[in-house]
Amino acid sequence: MDKKLLIRKALESKEKAYAPYSKFRVGAALLTSTGKIYTGCNIENASYTPTICAERTAIAKAVSEGEREIVAIAVTGDSQWTYPCGVCRQVIREFGKDAIVIVVNSEDEYKEYKLSELLPHSFGPEDLNN
Ligand code: THU
């Protein structure tokens, strides 16, 4: 995995954030099992609640292109160590039980986690009997 590329893409995507209300920009880049990278930024709304986080923007782009497995996702925001919110952790879980989550401050400063560390005892697709 080209971790540095994923990190750079997350940093670049933050520049595209549409965050006029919070003024808090977030960027994400994810790697799928097919080897492709999809990026996303947060997209806010005047009505506030329709806001979508950067991680879920990237996931929606990937899944709508036919991807089903997240191998790794890098996330960066306007504060030090911006971690994925709880909703995004659950959406990552759907497509990446074993995903690596890279929390990025800069190209050279980042921390890596397993999703299962950030979302222990999680609920996922396998838990439904259908
Ligand atoms: N935000 C994300 O994009 N990802 C997260 O995991 C945390 C929060 C965005 C949503 C909103 O546009 C702004 O950050 C402030 O909450």
Side-chain angles (χ1 to χ4, degrees), residues 18-19 22-27 41-44 51-56 75 82-86 88:
Y18 176 73
S22 72
K23 302 198 175 7
F24 187 83
R25 301 168 306 157
V26 184
C41 62
N42 53 332
I43 304 171
E44 297 186 343
T51 292
I52 182 166
C53 292
E55 299 90 319
R56 282 179 291 129
V75 183
T82 300
Y83 284 79
C85 75
C88 288

Side-chain angles (χ1 to χ4, degrees), residues 1-11 29 31 37 72-74 100-104 106-107 110-112:
M1 171 180 36
D2 192 344
K3 206 185 301 171
K4 286 280 179 181
L5 178 62
L6 207 60
I7 287 169
R8 268 204 307 279
K9 293 243 179 216
L11 288 163
L31 174 70
I37 290 177
I73 181 164
I100 301 295
V101 178
I102 309 169
V103 180
V104 176
S106 70
E107 263 194 61
Y110 56 88
K111 293 181 191 172
E112 268 184 71

